[in-house]
Amino acid sequence: MRRGCIAIGEVRCDGCGRIMRHPERYLAINEADGVEAEEGKVLRYCKECSQSKGYAHYEEEKGEWVFTFFPK
C-alpha cells in the first residue's frame, strides 16, 4: 500500500539515504507492492526517489500542476 506522508521528525530515505526533515513529503510503501524489501517492512522514499522509481508524478488539476503519490 502506498501512503503519502509528511515528515514530522527526521526520516531517512531508503533510496538515496538523505535525511528528510519537517515538513517534507515522502512516500511510505509496503513490501507487498512488489518492492524489494523484507516482508512486513515499510520503505520510505523522498520526493525525488519516488518520482524516479515511477511511484509519483505531476498531474494537472484545476489548471495547476500538483505533485501526487496516487497512481495514474
Side-chain angles (χ1 to χ4, degrees):
M1 175 190 338
R2 293 183 191 184
R3 294 181 303 275
C5 303
I6 297 174
I8 57 172
E10 291 186 351
V11 180
R12 182 172 300 275
C13 175
D14 290 316
C16 63
R18 184 174 68 83
I19 297 290
M20 298 172 282
R21 292 183 172 79
H22 181 75
E24 287 186 70
R25 294 175 59 194
Y26 68 94
L27 174 70
I29 188 166
N30 288 10
E31 186 272 333
D33 292 331
V35 178
E36 301 164 4
E38 297 172 17
E39 187 171 331
K41 183 177 179 185
V42 176
L43 295 175
R44 292 165 182 87
Y45 294 117
C46 66
K47 185 177 173 180
E48 292 79 17
C49 288
S50 60
Q51 190 173 14
S52 69
K53 292 179 182 294
Y55 293 126
H57 63 278
Y58 283 95
E59 66 180 34
E60 189 172 1
E61 183 176 300
K62 298 182 183 177
E64 294 184 24
W65 287 99
V66 293
F67 188 79
T68 182
F69 295 111
F70 292 118
K72 292 182 180 181

